[in-house]
Structures are given as C-alpha cells and as structure tokens.
Amino acid sequence: MSNPILQAQNLHKRYEKVHAVQGISFDIQQGEIFSLLGPNGAGKTTTISMLSCLLSATEGDAVIDGHSVGTQADAVKRVIGVVPQEIALYPDLTARENLMFWGKMYSLSGAHLKQRVAETLEIAGLSDRANEKVETYSGGMKRRINIAVGLLHEPKVLFMDEPTVGIDPQSRRRILDTVLELNQRGLTVLYTTHYMEEAAELSRRIGIVDHGKLIALGTQDELTKLVGERDTVRIGISSVNDTDALLAALTKLSGVDHAALEEDELVLQATNANAHLSQIIGAIGAAGGQVKSIKVAEPNLEAVFLHLTGRALRD
Amino acid sequence: MKALQIAVKDTLTRFRDWKALAGMFAAPLIISAMIGLAFGDLGGDETPIENIPVVLVNLDAGELGQAYEDVLTSPDLADLIALETMQDPQAAKARIEAGELRAVIVIPAGFSETVIPDSQGNSGQANVELYTDPTAEISPVIVRSIVERITAAINSTLLAGQVAGQQAAGYAPLLGPAMGQLGAAIGAELQSGNLNLQESLLDLEVVSTGETGESFDPFAFFIPGMAVFFLMFSMFEGSRSILQEERHWTLQRLMSTPTPTWEIILGKMGGTFLTGLLQFTILMLSSTYLFGVSWGTSILGLAILVVLTVFAASGLGAMLTAFSRNENQAGVVGSAVSLVFGALGGSFFPTDGLTGIINIASKLTVNRWAMDGFLALTVNRGGLADIQTSILVLAVIGSVTFVLATLAFQKRFVK
Ligand SMILES: Nc1ncnc2c1ncn2[C@@H]1O[C@H](COP(=O)(O)OP(=O)(O)O)[C@@H](O)[C@H]1O
Ligand SMILES: [Mg+2]
C-alpha cells in the first residue's frame, strides 16, 4: 500500500516579511488524488511552487518519483505536470498554437507532439475550437486548455492549483469529472482548493492548510472524527403514541447520545449513525410510529476547519 | 533550440497585435510622409539644385585665370551656376555672409605667372581660394568639386606640357581645347549623376549629398531617424513582455518545464531582437517603395548596421526592464528613454551642430551612433569603412547590455 510517489518533507518558505509555508510534510501515494484544502493565503500556491521547482524551499525538501526537488529539478520537471492557478496561456495564440508551443517546451516534437496536442484537446473537449484564439474563449474553456497544457508530456503527477476558480457550475463539474477520469487512467494528482466539496468529492486523503501550516491530514473520516462531532440524524415520523417513551428507548440505544422531537421530526445525535439506523427504525416501529423520511448529516470538512481554526473556510 | 521557439512565438504574437503593428509601422511611415509633405517632396521627386549664386574674383591676368573663368561660364554649367565676376575679394566674401552667395572663388594676382614653369622649367606654388557658405549643405560641395576638377585638369595639362618640354608661351594652345571640353564633361557628369564628390566631402564640415549634386532628399534623413526612433519604442515594449509573462504566470509555467532559465531569458531577448530586425527591414523596404528612399550603396554595411542597431536597442530595452521594479516602471522609463534618446540622438534633427556637453550626451545614445551610421550610408553614400565607429560602438552597447540584462533577469527570476 505505502508507495509514495511524492514526499514533502518539512517544507518552509520564508519571504522577507512573511513565513508563507511553515514546515509542511505529506506523502502522496501513487495513483491517488491528494487534496490540499485551505483558505486564500494559506500557502497552497507557495507549496506547489516549491514542489514544481519554481521556488527554492527555505528549508526542507521534497522527493518526487525518486528525484529531489532541491537538487534534481530537471528530472522532477519531466515527471510533473503543472496547472497553475492563473490561466498561464498566450491569449493571442490559438489553443492549438498554445499547446504546440508548450509541447515544444516539454521537448516534444514532430508527429508525437501533434498527436499529444490532439489528445489533450480531446480531453479538454475543445478539438472543434482548437483554431480559435484563446482570448475568445470563456473562462471555463480557458481553464480546460490550462489543464491540457499540464498533460501534454504525460506526467506521472499532476499539480492542479485551484483549477476551478471563477467559473460556472457546469464548467466546474466538467473539470472535476476530467480529474476523476484522468485519475482512473492512473494519473496521480495533487489538487488544491478552498472548496470543501471539491476536496471531499475528489480525495480520500486530504491535508488542511492554514497560515502556512498543515493543521490536519488524513482520510475524510479521520478528519471528521477530529471534530468529535456526531452525525445528526433527522427522522420524519407520524402516529407515535408515546413520544416520551420512544425518546427514552432511543437514548438507550448504543451510539445514540441524544434524542429530541422537533415538531414531527426526531433529531438524534449519533456516533456512526448509519450503523445504528436499523435499530433506530426498529424502536420507532415498536412505538407504533411510521418513518416518513431520514436524513443523516455527517460532519463535514467545513466543520473540521471551523473546529480547528475557529474560522469559516470561506470568508 | 527552445530559445529560438520562444523568440519565434514572441515575434508571431507581436505581429498579430494590431496596436503593436501601428506603433511599429504605421506611425513611423505616416510621420515620415507628413515630414515629406512639409518639405514638398513626397514621392521622392527630387527638387533640382540650380542657379547656385557664385562669384569669381579673377585677379590673375594670365591664361590660367582665364581657363577657370571659361569653364565656369561654359554653357554646360549655365543652369547650375549663376556666375558673377567681381574684383574685390572682401566685398565678395561679405556677400556670402549676407546670404546672397553660396561660394566665392578667388584666383590670386600673378597666379598663372607663378604656376606656369618659366624657361628654366621652375614653377612656384599658388592656390585658388574657395570660400563657401557654412549654412549651405550641398551647393558648396558642388562648387568645390567643380573647382577641383578644373585645377586637376590644369595640373595635368601643365604636367603634360612640361614633359613635352614646352615653353611658357606654348601652354595656351594646350589649355584652350582641354578647358573647352572640361565644361561639357562636368556638365555631363552632373547629368548622369556620376560626378565624384567624395574627396571634397572630406574637407567639408557640412553634411551634404553626394547623390547627383542635384538635390537634398529629406527622406534620406528622416526615414532612418523615424525608423530608429520607433525601433527603440518597440524594443522597450518587447523587452517588457517578460514582466508581462511573469504577471500572467506564463513565465512561471515556462520555468516549470524542463527548460534552462538562461534559455528562456535568451529566447525572450531573442524575440525582441527578431521583432526589431523584421520591423527595421520592413520599414526599409516600405520606405524605399513608398517614398523612393535610397538606403545607400553598401548592402553589407547596411545589413551590419541594422543588425547592430537592433542588437543595441533590444539589449538596452532588456537591461532597463531587468532593472525596473515592475512592468509599469519599465514602461515609463522606456518611453522616457525613447523620447530623450530620439531628441538627443538625432532622430529628429541632425546632430552635426551639437557641441560640448550636449554633444557628449548625444554620444551616449544608441540613436546617435545608429544615425551617424545610417546617414553615412544614405545621405553620404558611404561604405563599410565610413561606419566603422558606429558599428563598433553599437556592438559594445549591445554586448554589455545583453550580458547585464541576462545576469539581472537570472537573479530576478530564479527564486
Ligand atoms: N513573493 C511573495 N513575497 C511575499 N509574500 C508572498 C509572496 N508570495 C506569496 N506570499 C504570501 O505567502 C502567503 C501564502 O500565499 P499563497 O501560497 O499564494 O496562498 P494560497 O495559494 O493558499 O492562496 C500569503 O500570505 C501571501 O501573501
Ligand atoms: Mg493560491
């Protein structure tokens, strides 16, 4: 299982006045989508810049596919693809010209280059508009070409720095689907975002960054457990004879901490609610009640961030 | 070679930008056309120079003084020279200062007697004096070359006579026919544009045309002036694009590819250079076509001068950019330098009148050395030898600024 393709080890970046990254360490396993979640200014871009050899780390190092970022930049650059937060394209050139140019910068040439340009245009879904200038594209289309450039040289690891910022929901959906599809084909992805839902959808393992520090790292389950918060189960019921008896019975169930009735809705606080749902429904039936709806709200990453920092993820 | 690919990309981008094209081509050509109109000389039609007011003060009683007079008054030169004779050299010279005359030719008393060998074959030294109007550019050159031609013809006649052992009295029959043909010969040379004015140019302080002795073409001055001026602008703007790429993150993206930083920087500077080379070449071709400007006779000299002018201008642009705090500052400094260099360096008016500190300041500009070179080729029809200093200075400016810019960019972008 443990087969890290990327290991960041105690990365620091100090600017004159700002300690932008303060000792970040994490591993990324081959084949996973690892997300760094954090608000603006957390240090995500700075971290990615160090991993892509754009910035030298003030302290620490990273090893990518066996090569040190600090001392083997050239080898690292060949295995990574970078999708910057900015739309790093030439607006005066067409999408195809952009891809051709960037392909050459990755030392591709000839028929292979043409083939890769066609393939990445296909991934971006823009083959039919490839000969239009990028400046005429919508924000979402530009973002897709921005991603396509990072894929040209078939990297082993793709760094994606907030690739869905400032675009409409359909375009975002499309990009998330693309990321999932690329991952299914074997691409390892380092994804940064300040959208909790994106990290939650894409990644099993997530690092939460704030003020230059990795304040939490783990699977979503592990992270949410940090909150110590219970699942909130809301059950719409009808025709219960003795509600007090039902509530008493429910609180006796293992895992249920608290039960209350809000109008015709039972609200339970439960640890690992899903595992106890059948018992809960059984108790309701025994009390003569009928279940009309069930909603289990799991604690989310937003709650985790709130719990850890006392602030909301998005301000 | 990725640097070349970056340079080509930049050049392509620039030539697709209408605003950039307007600045690179439309502006210099339109301004040149307007200047041309102001000189009433659009289309390269050359106003012939005629009736140059010249006074001959012939104090010599002998046949040589007469020979000068004969040639100068010959019908073949009648259109070109409006000759008057006077007896008082001082009064004649005063008329130059008054602006009435372009030249005064003085044949001193006893000239023939001194110069023609006596029976023992001894002869002395005497000079024809020529005074010219320092404010005029072309006509003094023409008068001077005519006088020199007459002097040369007389000298060779005397020499021939001496070799043949002629006595003093025998020169007159020789001189007559020789001088009679000379007027026609000079006239014909003027017509065909073959009159060789090169030697006389060396002694004259004024810039003047050696073209045909017929006209001054304002385009021969203003087109190179405008071309150099607008070249500076586009070189500064081109150099700035590296900071723009940093703002748009394409520079960072370039640096995240396996491309050495020096190659990226070289590519960016090379792109500006390539753009400038194309800009200047297109300006030369279109001005030749539109305004009939002649860029001189030395293709090699012109090619070297253009390459080095663009080299120096793009190097300077790169250096200013490299040391600017940001894109904005680079823009402001670039525009200011373009304007000041244009004014000081002779893009708008000739620099030969400059003296002292202004002249020194002028010589600190790329424009000055470029203009000195171009004028030597276009106006003075010189060759490679005449632009050696310009070539050398421009090469040094280009090399130094390129090296400094490269180092500064390296320091700036490798973080
Ligand atoms: N070149 C720089 N000089 C000084 N401070 C910087 C520089 N780049 C980023 N920072 C600071 O470092 C911190 C992290 O920035 P960044 O990595 O861009 O955050 P994120 O990508 O998570 O929004 C911010 O406080 C930012 O202002
Ligand atoms: Mg960022």
Side-chain angles (χ1 to χ4, degrees):
Chain A
M1 159 71 215
S2 187
N3 180 21
I5 193 166
L6 183 152
Q7 293 169 286
Q9 297 149 353
N10 191 30
L11 287 173
H12 283 261
K13 186 67 193 181
R14 266 190 209 89
Y15 292 111
E16 223 165 275
K17 293 191 182 116
V18 188
H19 195 169
V21 173
Q22 313 180 6
I24 286 186
S25 305
F26 58 87
D27 288 357
I28 299 180
Q29 302 300 318
Q30 176 113 43
E32 82 169 318
I33 303 176
F34 180 83
S35 286
L36 280 178
L37 175 68
N40 282 330
K44 304 183 296 294
T45 300
T46 308
T47 303
I48 286 212
S49 296
M50 286 189 282
L51 293 175
S52 39
C53 313
L54 280 181
L55 283 177
S56 59
T58 316
E59 203 185 315
D61 193 14
V63 177
I64 303 177
D65 197 35
H67 310 291
S68 155
V69 163
T71 57
Q72 296 166 295
D74 211 57
V76 168
K77 286 172 180 179
R78 286 174 204 282
V79 294
I80 60 166
V82 181
V83 181
Q85 184 172 355
E86 309 289 326
I87 294 171
L89 302 170
Y90 298 107
D92 285 339
L93 303 184
T94 67
R96 190 185 305 281
E97 286 166 341
N98 264 286
L99 288 165
M100 291 294 288
F101 172 75
W102 289 110
K104 287 174 194 161
M105 292 303 108
Y106 278 107
S107 310
L108 306 182
S109 62
H112 181 56
L113 171 61
K114 284 210 178 106
Q115 183 200 334
R116 284 304 297 156
V117 168
E119 285 168 4
T120 51
L121 277 169
E122 198 60 44
I123 293 170
L126 287 167
S127 304
D128 52 337
R129 303 195 52 182
N131 296 327
E132 293 172 33
K133 282 189 184 181
V134 166
E135 66 187 357
T136 66
Y137 277 14
S138 71
M141 291 159 74
K142 287 178 189 166
R143 288 265 165 215
R144 274 138 66 187
I145 295 296
N146 203 33
I147 294 171
V149 171
L151 297 170
L152 278 166
H153 60 301
E154 299 175 277
K156 291 186 180 172
V157 188
L158 185 67
F159 297 163
M160 303 181 87
D161 194 4
E162 306 216 31
T164 60
V165 162
I167 55 174
D168 59 277
Q170 286 111 304
S171 298
R172 172 200 284 213
R173 184 67 256 154
R174 219 203 132 97
I175 287 176
L176 293 178
D177 287 343
T178 305
V179 176
L180 289 168
E181 197 185 313
L182 289 167
N183 178 247
Q184 262 158 29
R185 292 197 225 158
L187 183 67
T188 307
V189 179
L190 167 57
Y191 192 96
T192 82
T193 182
H194 65 268
Y195 297 117
M196 182 267 296
E197 315 82 21
E198 291 189 357
E201 175 178 348
L202 294 174
S203 294
R204 202 177 66 82
R205 287 171 67 247
I206 295 164
I208 299 182
V209 278
D210 188 43
H211 290 313
K213 289 186 179 132
L214 194 65
I215 55 174
L217 172 67
T219 63
Q220 288 191 57
D221 285 348
E222 287 164 356
L223 290 174
T224 48
K225 294 257 163 56
L226 287 176
V227 188
E229 205 180 314
R230 313 293 180 249
D231 295 337
T232 305
V233 187
R234 290 175 175 272
I235 306 174
I237 51 166
S238 64
S239 58
V240 173
N241 305 326
D242 186 347
T243 51
D244 286 344
L246 173 59
L247 291 177
L250 286 172
T251 33
K252 278 190 195 122
L253 292 174
S254 74
V256 178
D257 295 326
H258 185 69
L261 192 67
E262 288 176 6
E263 295 178 31
D264 56 353
E265 215 175 41
L266 271 174
V267 182
L268 307 179
Q269 295 288 321
T271 313
N272 200 3
N274 285 327
H276 301 106
L277 270 183
S278 59
Q279 288 169 276
I280 293 169
I281 291 165
I284 295 169
Q290 281 186 336
V291 174
K292 292 165 84 181
S293 67
I294 302 180
K295 271 185 283 182
V296 180
E298 292 170 8
N300 59 25
L301 295 165
E302 178 76 52
V304 177
F305 191 80
L306 191 71
H307 172 73
L308 292 174
T309 67
R311 286 178 291 113
L313 195 51
R314 268 174 276 172
D315 19 40
Chain B
M1 184 71 174
K2 291 180 189 172
L4 186 64
Q5 283 151 353
I6 295 171
V8 168
K9 181 268 297 172
D10 270 9
T11 307
L12 182 67
T13 309
R14 191 123 310 240
F15 275 80
R16 276 198 192 163
D17 178 354
W18 285 106
K19 247 174 63 195
L21 290 179
M24 284 163 65
F25 302 112
L29 289 174
I30 288 171
I31 292 178
S32 300
M34 286 178 353
I35 291 171
L37 278 175
F39 274 74
D41 200 14
L42 190 61
D45 287 334
E46 294 166 352
T47 29
I49 287 184
E50 41 187 25
N51 295 326
I52 304 170
V54 178
V55 159
L56 175 67
V57 182
N58 185 5
L59 304 175
D60 179 36
E63 52 267 73
L64 294 188
Q66 190 57 46
Y68 278 98
E69 198 168 332
D70 288 348
V71 178
L72 288 169
T73 54
S74 78
D76 298 291
L77 298 181
D79 285 346
L80 185 67
I81 294 176
L83 191 78
E84 263 183 78
T85 52
M86 283 172 71
Q87 288 308 308
D88 180 358
Q90 296 310 321
K93 281 191 261 176
R95 286 181 63 193
I96 292 185
E97 263 146 53
E100 294 169 25
L101 297 177
R102 291 285 167 273
V104 170
I105 303 160
V106 179
I107 317 234
F111 181 71
S112 298
E113 210 174 312
T114 315
V115 171
I116 296 177
D118 60 17
S119 48
Q120 272 82 48
N122 298 322
S123 64
Q125 190 75 39
N127 290 322
V128 172
E129 294 157 19
L130 176 68
Y131 302 91
T132 56
D133 177 359
T135 64
E137 300 204 338
I138 297 127
S139 43
V141 183
I142 296 170
V143 175
R144 180 167 196 143
S145 72
I146 292 172
V147 171
E148 279 171 0
R149 283 299 302 276
I150 302 170
T151 308
I154 290 174
N155 280 338
S156 59
T157 309
L158 291 179
L159 198 64
Q162 208 167 0
V163 169
Q166 289 288 347
Q167 297 299 304
Y171 284 103
L174 279 177
L175 268 175
M179 294 300 123
Q181 284 154 25
L182 187 58
I186 295 175
E189 285 174 16
L190 278 170
Q191 287 284 300
S192 64
N194 284 332
L195 185 61
N196 182 10
L197 300 179
Q198 287 305 330
E199 280 171 56
S200 24
L201 280 174
L202 296 177
D203 297 328
L204 281 179
E205 283 172 15
V206 282
V207 177
S208 48
T209 177
E211 200 156 359
T212 59
E214 287 175 350
S215 75
F216 168 65
D217 179 4
F219 285 119
F221 172 77
F222 282 111
I223 292 275
M226 287 300 108
V228 172
F229 180 66
F230 282 93
L231 174 75
M232 294 298 281
F233 265 103
S234 85
M235 292 301 88
F236 287 156
E237 189 170 327
S239 304
R240 250 188 350 261
S241 75
I242 195 167
L243 299 187
Q244 192 189 348
E245 288 217 33
E246 189 186 25
R247 183 160 53 82
H248 289 161
W249 265 74
T250 44
L251 182 69
Q252 288 86 329
R253 177 166 246 170
L254 277 170
M255 292 175 68
S256 76
T257 67
T259 310
T261 308
W262 66 262
E263 209 173 331
I264 297 172
I265 293 168
L266 185 69
K268 290 299 295 176
M269 298 203 294
T272 314
F273 175 76
L274 189 60
T275 302
L277 217 51
L278 283 173
Q279 178 187 3
F280 212 97
T281 308
I282 292 172
L283 279 178
M284 287 197 299
L285 293 177
S286 51
S287 64
T288 306
Y289 179 73
L290 292 173
F291 307 124
V293 171
S294 162
W295 285 83
T297 49
S298 170
I299 301 270
L300 179 65
L302 188 63
I304 293 175
L305 189 61
V306 168
V307 167
L308 289 175
T309 298
V310 176
F311 180 52
S314 58
L316 186 70
M319 196 184 73
L320 287 179
T321 304
F323 288 101
S324 291
R325 206 174 317 126
N326 52 42
E327 217 180 317
N328 258 347
Q329 195 188 52
V332 172
V333 172
S335 302
V337 170
S338 301
L339 286 169
V340 171
F341 272 31
L344 274 179
S347 274
F348 304 113
F349 48 81
T351 51
D352 17 80
L354 296 182
T355 52
I357 188 99
I358 300 278
N359 194 35
I360 292 170
S362 169
K363 288 188 172 182
L364 293 175
T365 70
V366 170
N367 301 50
R368 169 64 179 269
W369 295 102
M371 285 305 291
D372 279 0
F374 283 114
L375 293 185
L377 297 181
T378 60
V379 174
N380 293 345
R381 329 266 322 149
L384 202 50
D386 303 297
I387 57 171
Q388 274 170 358
T389 318
S390 281
I391 284 179
L392 188 72
V393 173
L394 290 170
V396 168
I397 294 176
S399 310
V400 170
T401 51
F402 255 80
V403 168
L404 288 178
T406 310
L407 296 176
F409 279 137
Q410 278 275 358
K411 193 159 175 272
R412 181 173 188 143
F413 296 130
V414 178
K415 295 175 186 167

